[in-house]
Amino acid sequence: VTVVRVQLEKDFVGTGLLTSDEFAQSYALASAAPGPNAPIFLSLLGWQAFGLPGVIVLVIAWAVPTLFITHQLGRMSQAHENPTIERLLTVLKAGAVGLILAGALALTSSFDASVPLFAVVQSLLAFGSSVVLVRTQINPLIVLATCMVVGAIVI
């Protein structure tokens, strides 16, 4: 969500669906919650702008493609020793790391000098998980679960 936060803000605040304060409160609440904050944030935005149908549509639009692609690539990489798939996964990892780092940079640069604890923790987790994903062969789901636990403990 951090990566697309700016675009979501343009789409929801720029079109008048939400005020800037409502958007910021939703983001802060979702960021402070332990666990993956994308479905929480999208649920809050959908609820405020469109009610229950908005929650359903936004979460499905986020979850289905993401989970399907992740699942299929994971299955393909474990089922076959295909060099093309291995190269594709390497490129996707690099792209994901770039998006995570860009999101962390966008997040930290949008705050003033009094950066909230959750923003610092998110940025450190984003950077740390990026390094782990690039440097090791650890399953990304384990990295995600670890980030969730650390985020829940620290925040």
Side-chain angles (χ1 to χ4, degrees), residues 38-72:
I40 297 168
F41 184 48
L42 293 172
S43 296
L44 290 169
L45 292 179
W47 182 262
Q48 289 178 314
F50 306 107
L52 184 58
V55 173
I56 294 167
V57 169
L58 282 174
V59 171
I60 288 174
W62 166 80
V64 170
T66 303
L67 295 175
F68 178 77
I69 291 169
T70 303
H71 181 262
Q72 291 304 316

Side-chain angles (χ1 to χ4, degrees), residues 78-90:
Q78 292 176 352
H80 309 292
E81 293 294 326
N82 186 332
T84 303
I85 292 173
E86 293 300 322
R87 284 193 300 273
L88 175 63
L89 290 173
T90 301

Side-chain angles (χ1 to χ4, degrees), residues 112-135:
D112 59 12
S114 59
V115 177
L117 175 64
F118 69 85
V120 173
V121 171
Q122 272 190 326
S123 298
L124 291 174
L125 286 174
F127 179 75
S129 63
S130 299
V131 170
V132 169
L133 288 172
V134 169
R135 299 282 183 184

Side-chain angles (χ1 to χ4, degrees), residues 85-150:
I85 292 173
E86 293 300 322
R87 284 193 300 273
L88 175 63
L89 290 173
T90 301
V91 169
L92 289 173
K93 274 187 186 179
V97 169
L99 287 172
I100 291 169
L101 292 176
L105 180 62
L107 179 66
T108 54
S109 66
S110 67
F111 290 109
D112 59 12
S114 59
V115 177
L117 175 64
F118 69 85
V120 173
V121 171
Q122 272 190 326
S123 298
L124 291 174
L125 286 174
F127 179 75
S129 63
S130 299
V131 170
V132 169
L133 288 172
V134 169
R135 299 282 183 184
T136 69
Q137 294 296 319
I138 297 174
N139 186 324
L141 294 176
I142 294 172
V143 176
L144 175 64
T146 303
C147 289
M148 289 167 48
V149 170
V150 170

